Amino acid sequence: METAGPRTRAAARLGAHATREEQRKRRPVRRWQRRRIGEEQEGAVFREVVSFTRDPLPARYYDKDTTKPISFYLPSLEELLAWTPDAEDSFNVALEPLKCRQPPLSSQRPRTLLCHDMMGGYLDDKFIQGSAAQNPYCFYHWQCIDIFVYFSHHLVTIPPVGWTNAAHRHGVCVLGTFIAEWKEGGRLCEAFLAGDERSYQAVADQLVLIAQFFRFDGWLINIESSLSLAAVGNVPPFLRYLSTQLCRQVPGGLVLWYDSVVSSGQVKWQNELNEQNRIFFDSCHGFFTNYNWREEHLDRMVAQAGERRADVYVGVDVFARGNVVGGQFDTHKSLELIRRHGFSAALFAPGWVYECLEKRDFFQNQDKFWGLLGRYLPPHSICSLPFVTSFCLGMGTRRVCYGQEEAVGPWYHPSAQEIQPLFAEHRPEGDGQGWVKTHCCLADAWNGGSSLLIRGVIPPEVGHVAVRLFSLHVPVPPKIFLSMVYKLEGPSDVGVALELTTGDAGSCHVGDISTLSAEASSRHSPRPLRVPPTKLARWVGHCGQQLSGGWVQRCYEVNLRGCVLQDLWVSFSRPPGSREQEAFVCRLGELQVVDANSLLSPLPRVQAVSVSRVRWQRAAPEEEEEEEEEEEQRPARLRLSCALHWSYPLSHVRCFRIHCCRATGSPAEGPPGPEKPALLGLAFVNQYRVVDLAVAAAGPGTDGRVEFLVEPVPREGFLVPKAEWGRAALLYSGPHT
C-alpha cells in the first residue's frame, strides 16, 4: 500500500517499467478523486486492493476474537526479562501524567490506598479503546483516595491504561503488582534472588522500565512463597535498588511491600509491622499489612513505625474474610481504628459492592459504601488548570456530544472518565430541613455518557442552599474564564449559580465579583456574562443561551491577583417572592475553569494521518441476509480493519474523536455525495485501530472509499474547527482474479 497525498501524488504514478501486477495494485488516482483530495485540506490518500489473506496480529497485544488492542500482563520471569518496548506497546501508554495535587503524596497525612482485585483482573477494562459492556464496574470516588493498585495473580500485573488515565486525571498515583505465590512462585524467586546482585537488579531494571514506559507510578511487591536464606537475604537490597532506580526514572515513584514473608524466609502473615518484617519496610516506601489485625496490633505498630506512620498501610479486606474488625458495609469500623492510630489504610477489593450485590443497585450501593467511609477519607485537591469536566463516568447507554446524540447503545471506556466531584449530602447548619445531594446519572448527558444529578430542598427559613463539588488548590492567572452547563428538571424557577472559594485572603484581590457574606469572605459568586468576551467568542458563543436538549450555559470572566482557587460550589436560590419550601432537581453537564489567555493561543493541527495494517473480511452470511431484506440492491458488504497513526502534541489534548465517512463511486457517476461523519470511537494516543468497519464492496470499474477524520479535543474542552482535524482516505478496489 502507498500514499497519494498532495505532496506525494506524483509518486503514485506508474513507472515506465512497472509490471502488469504492479499496475493492478498501483492504479493512479482518478481525476475526480484528485480534485476531492484538494478540497479536503491535504489529507493523504492510500490505495488498497482488497485481499482476504490473513495478517496475524501479535496475540499479546490484540484480542484473539475481535483484534481490538488490549492491555496485558507478563506471566513468567522469562517474559519479563525479555520484554522491550515495541510499537504495539504504545497503545497501552497513559496519556495523562500524574496531576499535581495538594497535599502531595510525600506529606505525612495518612493516605488511602485502593487495591482493585476483581475476578482475576483484565476483564472489560482490558479493551484499550473501550467495549460495549453492559453494567460494568465503575469507580468514581477518586478525590477520596491517594493510591490505586491494580491487582491480579499474574506475575507482572501492568495496570490497564484506562485505570491509569482516570486515576492520574484525579491526582491519584497508580501501582502495578509483582506477585509470586506457592511453589512455582518460590522457584521463580530463587531464580533471581538466590544468586548475585546482577540477577535481582536485572528484574528491578525491567520493572522500572515498564513503569516508565507505560507511565504508571510503581509497584506493590507481594511474595507469598517460602524463600531460602540466600534468597530472603537479597530481598532488602532488591527493594532498595528497585526503589532508588524507580525514583530516578519516575518522579514520585512508589514501591510497597506486602506483609507475608518474614526475615527467616517463611511465609508468616504478621498483620502488623514488627521486628520480623521491619527490614523490608526499611528498604522501600511503605508496608501493606495483612487483614486479620486487632486493635492491639495497631497499638504495637505506633512505636514500630515512629515518624513513618503514614507509610504503614493497614489492610482492610472489604469482603470481610477471616477475623477482621469490619468489612462490607461495616468497613468504616476498621477505618475508625486505623485513623485513630494515625496510619494509612489499604482497602482491598472494594468491588465487593459490584461482585456480591445486585448489579441494578450498584450505584446506590457504591455511594452507600463510600458515604459511610467519608469522615475518614480526607479529600485531596487538584492544583492545575485547565480544570474541565463533563462528569462522564467513562460509560453510558448512549454517546452525546455537546447535547447532540451520536450513538445509542452501551459503551465502556475507562480512559474517557472525566474528573468526578465529591459525592456527598450537604445539610445547612441549624434545625432546618434543607439539603442537597449529588449522584451520578446515566439517564442524560451533555457530553459523554452521564451527567451529575443534584437534588435538594430549600427550606422556607433560608434563601439558598449550596453544595461543594470540587476541592482545588490552584494559583490562578490574572484572568480566568468559567463556564457551567446545566438544566433544571420539571417546572422550576430556582436560581442556579456557580460559586468559588479563594485563599490567601490577605493578598488576594478579586475583581468584578460579589462576596457572599462577612462570615464567608473568601467565597464568591461571580456575575454571569450576558454575551461572551469578544476575543473568546470563537470558543464560547452560546453564553447565556438555551442550548439543545434544554441545557443552559452560564459564562463568567473573573479578574484575580495573588489568589489561590480552593473550591467550586453550586448554589440554588429560591425564586423571588417565594416563601414556600422549594424542591429542585438539577443536572450539571459541564464545568470549565481555564486561563482566559490560553484560549487565545493558536491550536496545532493534526498532521500525517496514515492508514496501515489493513485487513479485509467478507461479511458474515447472516449479515448479508439481513441487509438484503432491508434493501435488495445494496452492494455486497465487507469488514475493514486497519491502524490509523497521526502526529499531534499530546500535551495539548484530552483525547481524539475518530470519525469515518464511507462512499463508493465510478468515473461515470462522478464523485460520491458527502456523508455525515460517523463516530468510531475515542483515542488517547496518536493511534487508533479500526475494527470490523462495515463498508460496501467495490464493483467492477468502481472504487470504494473510506475517509478517516481525527478530531482533537483540547484540554480546555472546546470544539475544534474541522480545518484543524486530520484526515486520510482509503481507496480500495475489488480483488483481481
Side-chain angles (χ1 to χ4, degrees):
M1 185 177 10
E2 64 177 287
T3 65
R7 297 178 184 175
T8 61
R9 210 176 289 148
R13 298 192 178 97
L14 299 177
H17 304 289
T19 66
R20 185 168 299 174
E21 183 63 23
E22 287 173 331
Q23 291 177 16
R24 286 184 183 139
K25 293 184 177 179
R26 301 173 62 192
R27 293 154 55 206
V29 181
R30 294 190 175 94
R31 290 178 190 169
W32 67 261
Q33 290 167 334
R34 283 190 194 159
R35 287 199 301 271
R36 190 166 178 81
I37 292 167
E39 294 168 3
E40 293 172 352
Q41 291 92 33
E42 303 184 355
V45 175
F46 295 77
R47 179 171 290 285
E48 178 83 1
V49 175
V50 174
S51 169
F52 299 108
T53 303
R54 285 296 186 98
D55 179 17
L57 296 168
R60 174 187 288 173
Y61 302 107
Y62 298 93
D63 181 60
K64 63 182 177 63
D65 297 321
T66 66
T67 76
K68 293 180 179 180
I70 55 174
S71 296
F72 64 93
Y73 54 85
L74 298 174
S76 69
L77 191 61
E78 292 75 21
E79 290 188 59
L80 169 63
L81 293 172
W83 181 85
T84 56
D86 184 270
E88 309 290 355
D89 285 306
S90 54
F91 270 116
N92 210 34
V93 175
L95 167 67
E96 293 285 347
L98 180 59
K99 282 283 191 292
C100 168
R101 49 163 288 163
Q102 285 292 337
L105 206 60
S106 58
S107 76
Q108 287 305 301
R109 187 180 81 169
R111 308 171 196 117
T112 304
L113 179 152
L114 186 157
C115 192
H116 177 69
D117 173 37
M118 181 170 287
M119 296 180 282
Y122 299 98
L123 306 172
D124 294 312
D125 55 3
K126 73 180 179 181
F127 291 102
I128 294 171
Q129 295 178 175
S131 72
Q134 296 192 35
N135 305 315
Y137 175 71
C138 176
F139 177 73
Y140 46 88
H141 290 82
W142 290 104
Q143 290 197 59
C144 297
I145 71 167
D146 304 291
I147 301 167
F148 177 89
V149 178
Y150 194 83
F151 184 91
S152 81
H153 292 275
H154 304 291
L155 176 66
V156 179
T157 297
I158 301 170
V161 66
W163 286 106
T164 305
N165 279 329
H168 280 184
R169 200 170 286 134
H170 291 85
V172 173
C173 83
V174 177
L175 307 185
T177 305
F178 179 88
I179 186 169
E181 301 174 284
W182 317 117
K183 289 184 178 179
E184 177 57 33
R187 286 192 290 268
L188 180 151
C189 289
E190 294 296 322
F192 80 93
L193 285 171
D196 61 23
E197 66 179 16
R198 290 174 298 179
S199 296
Y200 67 72
Q201 287 182 358
V203 169
D205 288 339
Q206 287 296 93
L207 294 176
V208 170
L209 179 61
I210 289 170
Q212 180 188 20
F213 181 83
F214 292 115
R215 300 183 73 182
F216 61 95
D217 307 295
W219 297 96
L220 170 66
I221 306 298
N222 183 2
I223 296 178
E224 298 193 64
S225 300
S226 295
L227 302 177
S228 66
L229 289 176
V232 77
N234 274 332
V235 169
F238 165 66
L239 291 174
R240 286 193 294 271
Y241 181 81
L242 174 61
S243 301
T244 300
Q245 297 303 313
L246 181 72
C247 289
R248 286 176 179 170
Q249 302 300 328
V250 179
L254 283 179
V255 175
L256 305 183
W257 173 261
Y258 177 67
D259 166 22
S260 50
V261 170
V262 294
S263 56
S264 67
Q266 296 174 287
V267 176
K268 285 187 175 181
W269 296 275
Q270 299 296 293
N271 302 299
E272 65 177 310
L273 174 68
N274 59 28
E275 290 301 324
Q276 295 191 64
N277 52 34
R278 183 183 179 86
I279 189 170
F280 310 119
F281 175 58
D282 291 338
S283 302
C284 63
H285 300 114
F287 183 86
F288 183 147
T289 78
N290 193 45
Y291 313 105
N292 296 307
W293 49 268
R294 313 303 293 176
E295 187 169 6
E296 53 266 29
H297 293 91
L298 304 184
D299 293 335
R300 289 195 294 266
M301 281 199 297
V302 170
Q304 281 285 345
E307 295 182 354
R308 293 187 63 195
R309 267 193 273 182
D311 296 333
V312 176
Y313 299 83
V314 180
V316 180
D317 182 0
V318 176
F319 276 73
R321 291 164 287 204
N323 184 19
V324 301
V325 172
Q328 303 181 6
F329 285 127
D330 287 330
T331 298
H332 61 94
K333 295 178 181 178
S334 295
L335 264 290
E336 193 276 329
L337 283 178
I338 293 168
R339 297 307 196 213
R340 188 194 304 169
H341 288 78
F343 294 115
S344 293
L347 301 176
F348 185 78
W352 166 81
V353 297
Y354 178 84
E355 291 190 55
C356 296
L357 306 179
E358 289 288 345
K359 300 289 189 295
R360 66 173 179 267
D361 299 325
F362 167 66
F363 289 104
Q364 297 94 312
N365 289 326
Q366 174 104 316
D367 290 343
K368 176 182 176 181
F369 175 83
W370 290 95
L372 289 168
L373 304 183
R375 63 186 295 186
Y376 307 112
L377 305 177
H380 62 268
S381 303
I382 296 172
C383 56
S384 60
L385 293 181
F387 178 88
V388 180
T389 181
S390 67
F391 305 97
C392 179
L393 291 170
M395 60 177 290
T397 57
R398 60 185 186 134
R399 289 182 185 268
V400 180
C401 182
Y402 298 102
Q404 301 295 321
E405 186 174 84
E406 290 187 309
V408 176
W411 64 277
Y412 174 59
H413 198 324
S415 283
Q417 186 181 95
E418 302 210 346
I419 299 174
Q420 297 299 306
L422 295 164
F423 291 93
E425 181 173 348
H426 175 72
R427 293 184 179 273
E429 295 180 4
D431 297 328
Q433 300 302 305
W435 56 271
V436 190
K437 192 168 184 178
T438 55
H439 312 264
C440 52
C441 183
L442 302 176
D444 201 356
W446 165 249
N447 192 29
S450 56
S451 56
L452 183 69
L453 187 66
I454 308 179
R455 301 177 183 271
V457 169
I458 307 172
E461 64 271 16
V462 300
H464 76 280
V465 293
V467 60
R468 183 175 69 138
L469 296 182
F470 295 101
S471 174
L472 307 175
H473 189 88
V474 181
V476 288
K479 181 178 290 187
I480 58 173
F481 174 80
L482 303 95
S483 169
M484 174 175 64
V485 176
Y486 72 94
K487 68 175 173 181
L488 289 164
E489 299 286 311
S492 178
D493 294 322
V494 167
V496 184
L498 184 64
E499 297 178 357
L500 53 92
T501 302
T502 57
D504 298 340
S507 60
C508 176
H509 173 76
V510 184
D512 192 30
I513 202 165
S514 60
T515 298
L516 293 182
S517 67
E519 290 77 19
S521 59
S522 62
R523 198 164 119 210
H524 312 278
S525 179
R527 298 185 181 95
L529 300 167
R530 294 181 179 273
V531 294
T534 303
K535 291 182 178 180
L536 305 184
R538 175 191 180 190
W539 298 113
V540 290
H542 300 290
C543 292
Q545 297 181 19
Q546 190 87 9
L547 307 175
S548 61
W551 297 94
V552 176
Q553 184 177 22
R554 292 278 182 264
C555 303
Y556 311 85
E557 191 178 42
V558 179
N559 297 301
L560 302 135
R561 188 172 66 246
C563 301
V564 173
L565 180 61
Q566 290 185 326
D567 300 292
L568 289 178
W569 299 67
V570 175
S571 173
F572 301 89
S573 56
R574 64 174 54 259
S578 169
R579 297 277 190 270
E580 304 296 322
Q581 178 172 286
E582 293 282 346
F584 62 88
V585 178
C586 178
R587 294 185 188 278
L588 281 192
E590 187 175 65
L591 284 180
Q592 294 172 290
V593 184
V594 301
D595 179 351
N597 287 331
S598 72
L599 300 181
L600 305 178
S601 303
L603 286 171
R605 289 182 58 182
V606 175
Q607 296 182 332
V609 182
S610 67
V611 183
S612 62
R613 302 292 287 268
V614 176
R615 169 180 165 174
W616 299 95
Q617 289 180 290
R618 294 181 178 89
E622 58 270 20
E623 295 179 76
E624 295 279 10
E625 290 172 8
E626 290 175 7
E627 290 173 357
E628 286 173 8
E629 291 176 6
E630 294 174 9
E631 185 178 339
E632 292 185 6
Q633 302 303 315
R634 185 189 295 273
R637 305 294 280 178
L638 300 172
R639 292 286 176 180
L640 166 65
S641 299
C642 60
L644 307 179
H645 293 80
W646 58 89
S647 175
Y648 195 86
L650 293 177
S651 60
H652 290 262
V653 76
R654 291 166 78 190
C655 69
F656 300 94
R657 290 162 43 85
I658 313 302
H659 310 264
C660 76
C661 295
R662 290 162 283 198
T664 59
S666 68
E669 295 169 352
E675 181 191 71
K676 182 180 178 182
L679 179 70
L680 295 179
L682 305 179
F684 292 82
V685 289
N686 281 330
Q687 59 182 353
Y688 183 84
R689 180 154 183 83
V690 179
V691 177
D692 288 343
L693 177 65
V695 298
T702 301
D703 280 324
R705 184 177 184 282
V706 183
E707 184 181 18
F708 297 106
L709 307 170
V710 180
E711 174 191 1
V713 180
R715 291 195 177 275
E716 290 79 9
F718 297 102
L719 286 171
V720 169
K722 286 188 177 180
E724 312 299 336
W725 296 14
R727 60 191 65 216
L730 176 66
L731 304 182
Y732 58 94
S733 56
H736 295 281
T737 56

